[in-house]
Amino acid sequence: YYITNNLRMPSVVNERVVQLYPLSNYTFGTKEPQYEKDASVAARFQRMRDEYSAIGMRKTVEGVLLVHEHNLPHVLLLQLGTSFFKLPGAEVAPGEDEVECLKKCLSETLGRQGDTIHWGVDEMICNWWRPNYEPPQYPYIPPHVTKPKEHRRLFLVRLPERAMFAVPRNYKLVAAPLFELYDNSNGYGPVISTLPQNLSRFSYVYA
């Protein structure tokens, strides 16, 4: 609410409240490894270049899964090796619904066979664009770029109160606190390291 002419008026801004559950509510098992489509970064960009003429700009969706420890929000990240971290996500096929693509990816990556996890994907957090077949990405389309090569959309994923995840054996699923991610592009890359800023517009309730 705000005050004008001694009248209490409703604010036009709606506060978004997100329920977070403790990390201890979730169980983590393992399953068969899942490998990247591309053996290297160079191979990834080459495939992007090869596919551009057929399908145009690549569209990617990724999920931001939040839990808490001691009332501090943590992001669940997939860790490959000792220093590579990523959000679970997938490339969107032409004509495919983005939200359904992400839900399918989350089930394939973290779900157990025969089990159904209800992923609450209903809030887009941010957009990132890749202007060229190169690593740099930006949260906007640079003025001189008319045909970006990749569009990444990150969605907040509401987790159920309890769940059992099955993590591919070649990955670890780690819970990283927001204060560790903040301004830490050397450790987590430019996208993950800006999650604390993008998530600050939400208010959190800790179960």
Side-chain angles (χ1 to χ4, degrees):
Y1 287 80
Y2 64 94
I3 305 298
T4 178
N5 295 330
N6 296 321
L7 295 176
R8 193 165 182 257
M9 304 295 292
S11 172
V12 296
V13 178
N14 293 320
E15 186 176 43
R16 178 74 161 86
V17 178
V18 178
Q19 175 87 59
L20 298 186
Y21 299 102
L23 180 61
S24 58
N25 278 22
Y26 304 99
T27 305
F28 303 92
T30 60
K31 62 182 177 183
E32 291 301 310
Q34 293 183 6
Y35 298 103
E36 299 287 324
K37 289 183 178 180
D38 310 295
S40 65
V41 174
R44 183 173 187 270
F45 290 144
Q46 185 58 53
R47 183 168 63 86
M48 189 183 297
R49 185 188 299 272
D50 294 341
E51 293 176 349
Y52 186 82
S53 60
I55 63 174
M57 179 182 65
R58 175 175 295 178
K59 296 181 180 180
T60 307
V61 290
E62 298 171 45
V64 178
L65 284 62
L66 295 176
V67 296
H68 81 84
E69 278 199 293
H70 309 296
N71 292 352
L72 292 173
H74 287 55
V75 181
L76 296 182
L77 300 172
L78 291 166
Q79 179 181 353
L80 182 61
T82 58
S83 59
F84 178 73
F85 299 88
K86 72 171 191 173
L87 297 165
E91 298 170 17
V92 182
E96 185 177 16
D97 180 81
E98 292 181 346
V99 170
E100 293 306 313
C101 174
L102 181 55
K103 289 181 178 180
K104 178 182 176 183
C105 166
L106 292 172
S107 294
E108 291 177 349
T109 305
L110 298 174
R112 297 189 307 156
Q113 187 173 8
D115 191 14
T116 300
I117 298 177
H118 296 286
W119 310 102
V121 181
D122 61 1
E123 187 95 20
M124 199 270 291
I125 296 175
C126 60
N127 292 279
W128 285 80
W129 283 269
R130 190 187 306 276
N132 301 299
Y133 306 110
E134 298 172 350
Q137 303 167 76
Y138 304 93
Y140 54 87
I141 301 176
H144 63 282
V145 174
T146 58
K147 296 181 179 179
K149 302 305 183 286
E150 183 178 16
H151 181 195
R152 296 174 64 182
R153 302 189 79 184
L154 275 60
F155 290 85
L156 179 67
V157 179
R158 291 180 291 103
L159 294 175
E161 183 175 0
R162 297 182 183 276
M164 178 176 286
F165 300 118
V167 184
R169 288 196 187 95
N170 53 325
Y171 286 100
K172 293 179 181 177
L173 191 64
V174 299
L178 293 187
F179 63 78
E180 182 178 320
L181 303 180
Y182 176 69
D183 202 26
N184 191 359
S185 60
N186 288 336
Y188 294 95
V191 176
I192 293 176
S193 64
T194 57
L195 282 177
Q197 293 96 314
N198 288 314
L199 292 169
S200 66
R201 62 190 175 95
F202 300 110
S203 295
Y204 300 101
V205 175
Y206 304 104

